[in-house]
Amino acid sequence: MALHIDIVSVVPDLLKSPFDHSIMKRAREKGLLKVNVINLRDYTNYARLQVDDYPFGGGAGMVLMIEPLVNALESLQATKSYDEIIYLSPDGETFNQKTANALSLKNNLLLICGHYKGIDQRFRDQFITKEISIGDYVLSGGELAAAVLVDSLGRLIPGVLNDESSALSDSFQDNLLAPPVYTRPENFRGWKVPEILLSGNHKKIEEWRQEQSLERTKEKRPDLLD
Ligand code: ADE
């Protein structure tokens, strides 16, 4: 099963390389992830490829117009139907691992990136099925948020990570932070790796990791335990 993600943007160049490296590259090469970036300006009927205009009622900033957005959407929907049409916005629900898990099981997602002051509310009301924020801060547009979404979903698609259990041991998968990890050398300037990890006792190591996860979560993110 592959996950196909279309992204509509007025700055498509921002999304040129994030999916060309590392795990996302591998996911795409294996045919498990498809990412297609659509330039909103290809869908405007206005002069000079205009896609935004001043807000009615006045105020700062520009608003993406509904017409090019609908043109783009209807053109895309002519060949496929989307499981979710997602608008990236600081006023959406805050993205987390639970949402990532759920979305990674879908087949077709459409991400709409706002820019400037956002998009005409009528498009949100009529077409958007889910609104997602990646955190309580404001970005210049939804593109970097879309890249975050694609990356976090892509690595969860079964078969993308070599060792499938490796996503299961991520932070947040069980509402716990991941335990500390170490690699060679065993001793660097007297800073030693915890002995238990060198013991070869897998049961004990697993117990230690569980304990460390819990400790770390209590210390750094007690809210996750509530
Ligand atoms: N667009 C602007 N800020 C954003 C945020 N925090 N999350 C998602 N999309 C955004």
Side-chain angles (χ1 to χ4, degrees):
M1 201 186 72
L3 174 59
H4 193 138
I5 305 179
D6 290 331
I7 309 175
V8 173
S9 164
V10 281
V11 203
D13 284 359
L14 269 176
L15 293 163
K16 255 187 178 161
S17 85
F19 318 121
D20 289 348
H21 309 278
S22 180
I23 293 170
M24 293 308 108
K25 181 182 181 193
R26 200 171 347 126
R28 293 170 67 204
E29 283 171 355
K30 285 184 178 172
L32 296 169
L33 173 69
K34 291 194 172 127
V35 184
N36 178 29
V37 181
I38 294 113
N39 188 346
L40 187 63
R41 290 186 204 280
D42 292 343
Y43 292 93
T44 183
N45 299 318
Y46 293 93
R48 295 183 306 280
L49 304 183
Q50 185 184 353
V51 289
D52 58 353
D53 211 337
Y54 296 100
F56 279 127
M62 301 293 273
V63 178
L64 291 185
M65 291 186 284
I66 187 169
E67 199 178 320
L69 286 166
V70 170
N71 289 345
L73 176 64
E74 287 179 346
S75 157
L76 291 162
Q77 280 179 325
T79 56
K80 70 174 71 141
S81 66
Y82 291 104
D83 300 305
E84 298 280 5
I85 301 174
I86 300 170
Y87 176 50
L88 284 319
S89 165
D91 53 32
E93 68 177 75
T94 308
F95 191 54
N96 59 25
Q97 196 65 28
K98 187 163 167 259
T99 307
N101 286 333
L103 290 177
S104 73
L105 300 174
K106 307 288 186 189
N107 296 124
N108 281 296
L109 299 176
L110 177 62
L111 309 185
I112 306 286
C113 302
H115 228 78
Y116 322 114
K117 277 289 164 197
I119 66 177
D120 191 301
Q121 182 62 37
R122 289 168 293 183
F123 188 82
R124 293 171 71 165
D125 296 341
Q126 297 296 327
F127 301 106
I128 296 295
T129 61
K130 200 173 185 60
E131 302 192 326
I132 293 180
S133 162
I134 63 160
D136 289 345
Y137 43 83
V138 178
L139 303 166
S140 319
E143 286 77 11
L144 297 182
V148 166
L149 224 74
V150 172
D151 188 290
S152 66
L153 304 190
R155 59 195 299 288
L156 291 170
I157 302 168
V160 168
L161 296 181
N162 284 340
D163 173 2
E164 278 205 34
S165 69
S166 116
L168 297 176
S169 61
D170 285 345
S171 280
F172 304 115
Q173 282 298 6
D174 42 13
N175 264 349
L176 292 177
L177 301 181
V181 291
Y182 300 86
T183 187
R184 289 190 302 165
E186 283 173 30
N187 184 342
F188 179 74
R189 298 185 179 171
W191 304 321
K192 293 190 185 133
V193 169
E195 218 144 282
I196 180 84
L197 296 177
L198 311 172
S199 69
N201 185 333
H202 295 295
K203 188 163 166 284
K204 282 260 172 340
I205 291 172
E206 199 35 53
E207 283 168 12
W208 181 85
R209 287 188 168 143
Q210 282 290 338
E211 263 169 45
Q212 291 287 317
S213 274
L214 193 59
E215 280 311 305
R216 212 174 231 206
T217 312
K218 272 186 196 158
E219 191 189 313
K220 294 175 191 256
R221 291 293 307 276
D223 58 295
L224 293 175
L225 299 170
D226 293 344

